[in-house]
């Protein structure tokens, strides 16, 4: 039972790491090319990661929010990264 729990935790950590890497890659693309709000899907190791880019105007610039969601064994998960662009 302990090994099963360790396996699930490692699998979830890998999924969180992958979702964070996807969001980080999208933020880097924004830094280079100025994205527009969009949605995207990335498939990796049998999991489909759904992503959304949102731009929110702020007094100091534009807040860029990249949210990546996925479902694993009927449970929804989400990772969001934020940055502020002075453009």
């Amino acid at each position: 039972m302990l090994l099963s729990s360790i396996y699930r935790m490692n699998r979830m950590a890998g999924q969180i790491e992958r979702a964070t890497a996807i969001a980080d890659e999208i933020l880097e693309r924004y830094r280079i090319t100025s994205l527009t709000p969009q949605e995207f899907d990335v498939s990796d190791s049998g999991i489909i990661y759904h992503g959304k880019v949102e731009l929110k105007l702020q007094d100091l610039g534009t807040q860029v929010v990249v949210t990546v969601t996925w479902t694993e064994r009927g449970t929804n998960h989400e990772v969001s990264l934020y940055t502020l662009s002075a453009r």
Side-chain angles (χ1 to χ4, degrees):
M1 186 146 160
L2 178 62
L3 288 177
S4 177
S5 294
I6 291 170
Y7 174 75
R8 281 194 308 273
M9 287 188 298
N10 282 339
R11 187 178 64 239
M12 181 54 59
Q15 292 171 3
I16 292 169
E17 181 180 6
R18 180 63 180 130
T20 302
I22 291 167
D24 188 51
E25 180 180 316
I26 296 298
L27 282 178
E28 184 64 18
R29 283 188 208 166
Y30 176 80
R31 189 184 69 76
I32 294 169
T33 63
S34 294
L35 293 174
T36 57
Q38 61 179 301
E39 293 187 14
F40 59 90
D41 290 328
V42 175
S43 179
D44 188 358
S45 301
I47 295 178
I48 298 174
Y49 296 90
H50 303 284
K52 182 168 72 169
V53 177
E54 297 176 277
L55 305 177
K56 300 176 182 179
L57 296 178
Q58 305 283 326
D59 290 338
L60 299 175
T62 302
Q63 181 184 38
V64 182
V65 181
V66 179
T67 303
V68 177
T69 60
W70 70 100
T71 302
E72 197 260 338
R73 293 187 173 195
T75 303
N76 296 325
H77 304 280
E78 178 178 295
V79 168
S80 294
L81 295 182
Y82 302 78
T83 192
L84 186 63
S85 172
R87 297 181 198 186

